[in-house]
Amino acid sequence: MSASPADLPEFLPFKLDLVGRRVLWLRLSAQQREEAAFLDDRAVPANAEGGWMPLASLPAEVPHDDAADAIFHIGHCGSTLLSRVLGAWPELQGLREPLPLRSLAEAWPQLGRAESRLSEAEAPQLLRALWSNWSRALLPWRRSVVKATSNCNGLIAPLLAHTQLRALLLDMPLRPYLATLLKSPNSVLDAASAAGERLRDLQARGHAQGVALHALSLPQQCAMGWLAERVRYAAHAAGAQGARVLRVDFETLLAQPEATLHVIAAHLSLDPAGVPRALSSPAWGRYSKAQSHDYSRNDRAHDLTLALQRHGADIAEGEAWVEAALRREPALQAVTGA
C-alpha cells in the first residue's frame, strides 16, 4: 500500500503475528464491518486489499475524539446481540472480536517470563496503539464499541489502566449459562478452552485454592469459569476504575430491555433518544451471528427449556460444584447473587 495505514481509516489492524513481529492491515468498508459477526477469517472479503507490515506501522496514537468503548463477556451470553442493538445509535461503529485483541490476551500471561514475545514495557504500548486505531471510526460513524472475545477478559485491567474506555461487563445467571453452553458441544469447548486462564485468575484473587483443572469435568469447568468471571467482574466494579465499568445481566436485558438500554446509554454517554430505535432493532428477532436466520426471544426460551431437560444432570453437576465452593467460601455468595 502506498500510504501509511495510519492515514487510511478504512484499514484495520486485522491480525497480529508476534513471532514475525508484524501486523496485517486489511481494508474493510462500513458495510463489511457492520455485517461481520467476527473480525476473523470469516470477515475477509473476496479480493481482499491489505498486507503485512512491521509492528512499527502501528502508530502510537491515532487522532480521534473518544477512546473506543468495550463489551466484555463470559461467552454465549448475548454479546453479539447487544453489539448489534447498540448499532441503532448512528454514531456507533461496532467492531466485533478483532483477532489482535485475542492474540494479546494469549500473550499477556507470559509477560515478564523468558519465553514472552513482548517486553513488559512494550505490551501496553502495543495495546494502546491497537485500541487507538480501533477508536478511529470510519465515516459515517464517530465512535467505536469493540466487542472482545470471551477469552480476552484478562485485558480488562490493562485496558482500564492504559486507555479511557468505558466497559460493559456482560454475563447471566449460572443455570441459563450452563444450559446455553451444554446444548452445543462447540460452546462447551469454547468455555473449557478459557477455563485455565479463568482458574488462574480466580486463584490469584484468593479463591478456589487447591482446585486443579484436570480434576474437573467439563460441566464443572464451565461452572468454575462462570464463578471466576463473576469474581473478576465484581472486583472491577468495586475497584478504582469502577465508575468506568457497568455490569449487565443478559436475562435482565431481555426481560427489561428499555430500562436496561437507558442505563447502558447513560454509561456510554449515548443520547437516550436512541433507545426507541434500539428497541425496534431487527437484531432482536435474528440469530446474532448469522443475521439471515430468524431467532426470537421465544425461540431462545424454547431452546433453553429443551436444554434444561436434555442436559439436566450435567447442569446439576455444574451447579453442585458452585454450591460446594460457596459452602467453603461463604463470602462468594455476594458475588454470585446466591
Side-chain angles (χ1 to χ4, degrees):
M1 61 189 73
S2 57
S4 167
D7 302 321
L8 300 170
E10 62 267 30
F11 281 89
L12 284 176
F14 194 78
K15 287 185 179 180
L16 198 59
D17 174 12
L18 294 180
V19 175
R21 298 187 64 79
R22 58 182 187 161
V23 59
L24 175 63
W25 291 92
L26 192 66
R27 185 193 294 270
L28 287 176
S29 68
Q31 180 180 353
Q32 289 165 336
R33 297 178 192 207
E34 187 171 13
E35 291 177 350
F38 307 97
L39 287 173
D40 58 16
D41 288 339
R42 289 166 286 188
V44 177
N47 303 315
E49 183 178 353
W52 289 97
M53 298 183 69
L55 285 184
S57 64
L58 274 165
E61 186 173 352
V62 176
H64 52 79
D65 293 333
D66 295 291
D69 293 320
I71 300 171
F72 292 99
H73 59 101
I74 61 171
H76 307 283
C77 64
S79 60
T80 306
L81 171 61
L82 177 57
S83 174
R84 292 195 185 280
V85 167
L86 289 177
W89 277 269
E91 69 267 31
L92 284 187
Q93 167 184 257
L95 299 175
R96 287 177 276 277
E97 305 201 9
L99 280 173
L101 199 60
R102 189 187 312 177
S103 299
L104 275 185
E106 293 170 353
W108 214 265
Q110 278 74 51
L111 294 181
R113 300 180 184 177
E115 68 269 24
S116 178
R117 299 279 179 184
L118 297 170
S119 72
E120 292 181 274
E122 182 183 27
Q125 293 172 357
L126 181 56
L127 182 61
R128 283 196 303 271
L130 287 165
W131 205 262
S132 180
N133 187 279
W134 293 325
S135 298
R136 179 179 57 177
L138 186 63
L139 292 176
W141 299 302
R142 299 194 305 275
R143 297 171 50 190
S144 298
V145 176
V146 177
K147 182 181 90 75
T149 311
S150 59
N151 63 359
C152 291
N153 287 343
L155 293 179
I156 297 173
L159 278 167
L160 287 171
H162 296 291
T163 76
Q164 293 302 309
L165 70 79
R166 290 160 294 189
L168 305 176
L169 309 182
L170 181 67
D171 66 356
M172 65 170 71
L174 179 59
R175 181 168 293 182
Y177 176 65
L178 291 175
T180 300
L181 294 182
L182 289 165
K183 67 186 177 70
S184 166
N186 288 337
S187 298
V188 172
L189 292 178
D190 281 346
S193 69
E197 188 278 333
R198 288 171 171 173
L199 178 58
R200 184 167 56 246
D201 188 78
L202 184 62
Q203 292 180 337
R205 299 181 190 276
H207 305 291
Q209 302 305 317
V211 173
L213 193 61
H214 64 79
L216 301 181
S217 67
L218 284 176
Q220 289 172 335
Q221 290 180 40
C222 294
M224 179 279 299
W226 174 88
L227 177 62
E229 294 298 6
R230 297 284 267 210
V231 170
R232 177 163 23 210
Y233 286 3
H236 286 307
Q241 305 296 334
R244 290 166 51 204
V245 304
L246 175 68
R247 298 192 63 181
V248 180
D249 180 272
F250 184 57
E251 296 293 328
T252 303
L253 174 64
L254 292 180
Q256 304 171 30
E258 183 173 5
T260 305
L261 286 172
H262 272 289
V263 173
I264 290 171
H267 183 68
L268 299 182
S269 297
L270 298 171
D271 185 351
V275 170
R277 289 194 304 272
L279 289 170
S280 61
S281 169
W284 294 105
R286 296 176 183 166
Y287 184 56
S288 297
K289 296 177 176 63
Q291 290 283 277
S292 60
H293 299 293
D294 292 337
Y295 193 74
S296 68
R297 280 170 270 198
N298 288 337
D299 292 328
R300 175 181 180 269
H302 178 262
D303 283 351
L304 286 183
T305 298
L306 288 179
L308 289 166
Q309 294 171 354
R310 294 172 178 172
H311 304 285
D314 286 340
I315 292 169
E317 183 180 355
E319 290 179 319
W321 189 91
V322 171
E323 290 167 0
L326 297 185
R327 286 195 296 271
R328 291 191 300 270
E329 301 182 60
L332 288 175
Q333 294 180 8
V335 173
T336 62

